[in-house]
Amino acid sequence: MSEFNERFKAFINNRWLVFVAAIWIQACAGIGYMFGSISPVIKSNLNYNQRQVARLGIAKDLGDSVGFLTGYICEVLPLWAALLVGAIQNLVGYGWVWLIITGKATPLPLWAMCLLIFLGTNGETYFNTAALVSCVQNFPKNRGPIVGILKGFAGLSGAILTQIYALIHSPDQASLVFMIAVGPTMVVISLMFIIRPVKGHRQIRPSDARSFSFVYSACLVLAAYLMGVMLVQDLIDVSHTIVIIFTSILFVILLYPMSIPVIMTFTEEPRQSIEEALLLESEKKESGKAAESDTEVVFSELEDEKPKEVDMLPRSERKKRIAQLQARVAQAAAEGAVRVKRRRGPHRGEDFTLTQALVKADFWLLWFPFVLASGSGLTVIDNLGQMSQSLGYDNTHIFVSMISIWNFLGRVGGGYLSEIVVRDYAYPRPVAMAVAQVILAVGHFFIAMGWPGAMYVGTLLIGLGYGAHWSVGPATASELFGLKSFGALYNFLTLANPGGSLVFSGLIASSIYDREAEKQEQQRHPHVGSFFNGTLTSEASKCEGSICFFLTSMIMSGLCIIAIFMTMTLVYRTKPVYASLYGKPRT
């Protein structure tokens, strides 16, 4: 009985259990990606025009990205309490929207609807922050794969929720909003006590590489399966029984990673308490050394004495050369030849506060490309329903599901490939982000052309490029500015989404769409006159043809090219940092 209790305790405190629970939360946390599916329902039921829908989309993006309060709550409250706050916001926000569009509640003005969308979507920031902070602390040596996988499942949640909605088989499209309000809330509340740091430094196992390969295989199987299921359901009219089978297999694949902590619990010998105590003591000594090195005296002349090529040396040799220089300067200081002062702030690669990071050029060279690239990708996600309809596609759900799958693969693949870049070549991780921006620029160009099949190619490229940003970017921020304030840095980084969406979707895309819709309506009914200030009906505001989003897509493609040059500037500036962090000793 005592052995069972010991193994059960090991299972509960296994950091892989926390990781799997975080995966499940992320699998239903990206409800903002469902806006492309629910916006046509809101538009038709409330008689909105495209500009009004775009304002709802901006409110959604703000809710998904404004996480200052989230970061504060995660610092002062346990993570389970932060998850509970997010679950309540999700239920109240989207639940109230469902009551309004079904006629069960009094209609509200547009500003109030924007507030509800903001409130409901802002619950995601609690889910994302709690999952990422707990798992990055549990896996400090594997932050690239961890961020990529978790953000990948958040991106895939649109396809997962769409498949679950197909299982419900409701003719009422408004029921999708109800599912978004209730489903994630139930999942988060059931798992919120598992999400926590569990002293991951003391649980590093040689089997970690095999476990990550196991999770990656599950990711690829899940993406391939969902892609196949979505294509079959789009091309063939399958029965509801087949949909039930498809969804059941989906749940089995999602449960698949749980085998990792289960197998580890029952096949590996639990660590004895004395071993844990020794390891804990070792960690205390290491942390003491780290704290001592953080507060050591830095000499004002050291940077002048240090040759530039020292920064490019492998870590061990670089430390040796710097130590020799420090010894020489220290001796000179003792003899009164030089003046000594303390370093005023951290260097890149060390722990920054948010305030310290905001005054660094490297932070803004990371943030502004996010505004241009991920903001343009999010504009496509928000307007996917209208884009596909304008090109003659009736079933918009298939593109919402497909871009979620490619988004997922972009995040997982971006984390995996960027980890190879830094681990094997000690090259700056942002170069992977520049590649993603090239992919985005090409994807926008395809949608602008409106060629046959352009929506399929465009959603593929934009999903991959947009997704890669959300695995490479946070990992880059944690490397350049440390893990101490990672939650605050991550939530500030997410402000790039509403910033880009405000310009691309709120000002450019919606204005051009409504202008082209008005032109087409005047051509069909030349005696009706012009439409002003939101008086377009939902039918009259429909635009048809590639012209609806041609100019918007070309503008976004051009701005992605500008983002490439900014990102490559960051790559050039951070080469010494990554050489120091990941450089291997020469043999």
Side-chain angles (χ1 to χ4, degrees):
M1 188 66 181
S2 60
E3 182 179 357
F4 174 80
N5 292 335
E6 189 174 358
R7 290 191 180 276
F8 180 75
K9 183 179 179 181
F11 176 74
I12 294 298
N13 293 320
N14 193 308
R15 60 183 183 153
W16 283 97
L17 175 65
V18 179
F19 183 43
V20 173
I23 285 175
W24 291 343
I25 287 179
Q26 293 293 83
C28 64
I31 55 179
Y33 297 111
M34 296 296 292
F35 187 78
S37 291
I38 68 174
S39 59
V41 181
I42 297 175
K43 182 178 180 180
S44 60
N45 285 23
L46 301 182
N47 213 25
Y48 284 167
N49 62 29
Q50 187 59 28
R51 187 176 288 109
Q52 292 170 313
V53 173
R55 289 171 184 167
L56 292 179
I58 294 171
K60 182 268 299 182
D61 295 336
L62 287 170
D64 191 25
S65 305
V66 177
F68 294 117
L69 181 60
T70 304
Y72 175 75
I73 288 179
C74 288
E75 289 182 3
V76 301
L77 295 178
L79 292 180
W80 67 263
L83 288 169
L84 181 60
V85 172
I88 292 173
Q89 286 191 199
N90 177 73
L91 180 63
V92 173
Y94 281 102
W96 203 334
V97 170
W98 174 75
L99 292 174
I100 291 173
I101 63 177
T102 54
K104 295 179 173 63
T106 305
L108 298 177
L110 180 61
W111 68 266
M113 291 295 296
C114 290
L115 182 62
L116 290 177
I117 294 291
F118 173 89
L119 180 68
T121 314
N122 190 247
E124 292 182 30
T125 62
Y126 295 89
F127 306 156
N128 288 323
T129 303
L132 286 172
V133 168
S134 62
C135 290
V136 168
Q137 291 179 6
N138 289 337
F139 295 86
K141 304 288 187 181
N142 306 98
R143 64 189 73 180
I146 287 295
V147 174
I149 292 170
L150 289 179
K151 294 299 294 180
F153 273 92
L156 192 64
S157 61
I160 294 173
L161 293 174
T162 298
Q163 182 60 35
I164 296 174
Y165 176 69
L167 178 66
I168 297 174
H169 195 59
S170 172
D172 182 11
Q173 295 291 315
S175 59
L176 176 61
V177 182
F178 177 80
M179 187 192 74
I180 290 174
V182 175
T185 301
M186 295 173 61
V187 173
V188 170
I189 290 177
S190 64
L191 299 174
M192 62 185 184
F193 291 109
I194 299 177
I195 304 298
R196 70 208 189 282
V198 290
K199 304 298 182 184
H201 297 74
R202 302 205 309 269
Q203 297 186 22
I204 295 175
R205 299 286 198 274
S207 60
D208 280 352
R210 185 172 65 252
S211 298
F212 274 112
S213 298
F214 195 82
V215 174
Y216 275 124
S217 66
C219 292
L220 294 176
V221 169
L222 179 60
Y225 176 75
L226 279 173
M227 176 63 71
V229 167
M230 294 302 170
L231 289 175
V232 168
Q233 293 180 162
D234 183 48
L235 299 174
I236 304 173
D237 187 14
V238 299
S239 65
H240 186 58
T241 303
I242 300 299
V243 173
I244 293 176
I245 295 174
F246 284 162
T247 310
S248 300
I249 296 175
L250 170 63
F251 286 134
V252 171
I253 298 175
L254 288 174
L255 291 171
Y256 181 59
M258 179 55 75
S259 58
I260 297 175
V262 172
I263 291 174
M264 291 179 63
T265 300
F266 290 100
T267 60
E268 296 185 0
E269 289 297 325
R271 295 189 175 187
Q272 301 298 325
S273 58
I274 185 172
E275 183 183 356
E276 289 285 353
L278 289 173
L279 288 172
L280 181 59
E281 184 66 25
S282 175
E283 285 183 4
K284 288 182 178 178
K285 289 181 180 179
E286 290 179 3
S287 64
K289 292 178 181 179
E292 183 179 350
S293 66
D294 286 342
T295 58
E296 71 177 351
V297 174
V298 177
F299 301 98
S300 60
E301 281 73 15
L302 181 59
E303 291 297 323
D304 296 331
E305 293 285 340
K306 184 179 66 175
K308 293 183 178 180
E309 60 268 17
V310 170
D311 287 330
M312 302 302 296
L313 293 175
R315 182 186 299 180
S316 59
E317 188 173 347
R318 176 175 174 271
K319 287 183 178 180
K320 184 186 300 184
R321 293 285 298 277
I322 292 177
Q324 293 172 352
L325 289 171
Q326 285 179 334
R328 287 209 304 263
V329 176
Q331 183 178 0
E335 296 173 355
V338 298
R339 176 174 51 86
V340 177
K341 68 178 181 181
R342 290 188 177 272
R343 189 175 62 194
R344 294 181 178 178
H347 290 170
R348 292 176 301 183
E350 300 175 354
D351 285 331
F352 283 70
T353 64
L354 178 60
T355 304
Q356 291 171 330
L358 290 178
V359 299
K360 296 296 182 181
D362 290 336
F363 185 84
W364 295 108
L365 284 172
L366 176 65
W367 191 81
F368 277 114
F370 258 73
V371 175
L372 300 178
S374 70
S376 67
L378 188 62
T379 298
V380 174
I381 294 173
D382 289 347
N383 294 275
L384 205 54
Q386 286 72 34
M387 282 184 169
S388 57
Q389 288 177 354
S390 67
L391 293 178
Y393 296 95
D394 296 327
N395 186 5
T396 62
H397 294 300
I398 183 64
F399 295 108
V400 173
S401 301
M402 288 180 64
I403 205 168
S404 295
I405 294 170
W406 300 126
N407 185 6
F408 168 73
L409 290 177
R411 295 181 184 213
V412 175
Y416 177 77
L417 295 176
S418 68
E419 196 73 9
I420 293 177
V421 169
V422 298
R423 295 286 180 185
D424 294 352
Y425 301 99
Y427 201 75
R429 193 185 296 269
V431 73
M433 197 163 70
V435 174
Q437 288 155 4
V438 173
I439 295 173
L440 276 170
V442 176
H444 289 306
F445 178 78
F446 264 90
I447 291 182
M449 293 298 100
W451 296 321
M455 280 300 298
Y456 291 95
V457 177
T459 53
L460 163 65
L461 296 176
I462 290 173
L464 289 175
Y466 174 81
H469 275 75
W470 290 103
S471 58
V472 179
T476 300
S478 71
E479 288 164 335
L480 296 180
F481 306 107
L483 291 173
K484 182 179 179 180
S485 301
F486 176 69
L489 290 167
Y490 167 75
N491 280 297
F492 191 91
L493 197 63
T494 60
L495 288 177
N497 261 4
S501 179
L502 176 64
V503 176
F504 297 136
S505 184
L507 299 179
I508 298 176
S510 61
S511 298
I512 295 175
Y513 181 95
D514 282 343
R515 186 186 64 190
E516 295 297 334
E518 180 179 346
K519 289 181 180 178
Q520 293 182 6
E521 182 63 23
Q522 288 179 342
Q523 290 174 358
R524 288 191 292 264
H525 306 285
H527 303 294
V528 173
S530 299
F531 300 87
F532 299 98
N533 298 325
T535 58
L536 288 167
T537 65
S538 107
E539 182 63 29
S541 63
K542 182 179 292 186
C543 179
E544 297 177 355
S546 61
I547 191 64
C548 303
F549 289 95
F550 172 79
L551 183 57
T552 299
S553 297
M554 293 302 293
I555 291 173
M556 293 191 295
S557 182
L559 291 177
C560 284
I561 294 174
I562 295 176
I564 295 169
F565 287 101
M566 296 180 68
T567 302
M568 290 308 298
T569 303
L570 178 64
V571 170
Y572 176 78
R573 288 171 56 90
T574 56
K575 281 183 180 180
V577 181
Y578 280 88
S580 174
L581 289 174
Y582 295 100
K584 297 179 180 179
R586 295 174 181 173
T587 56

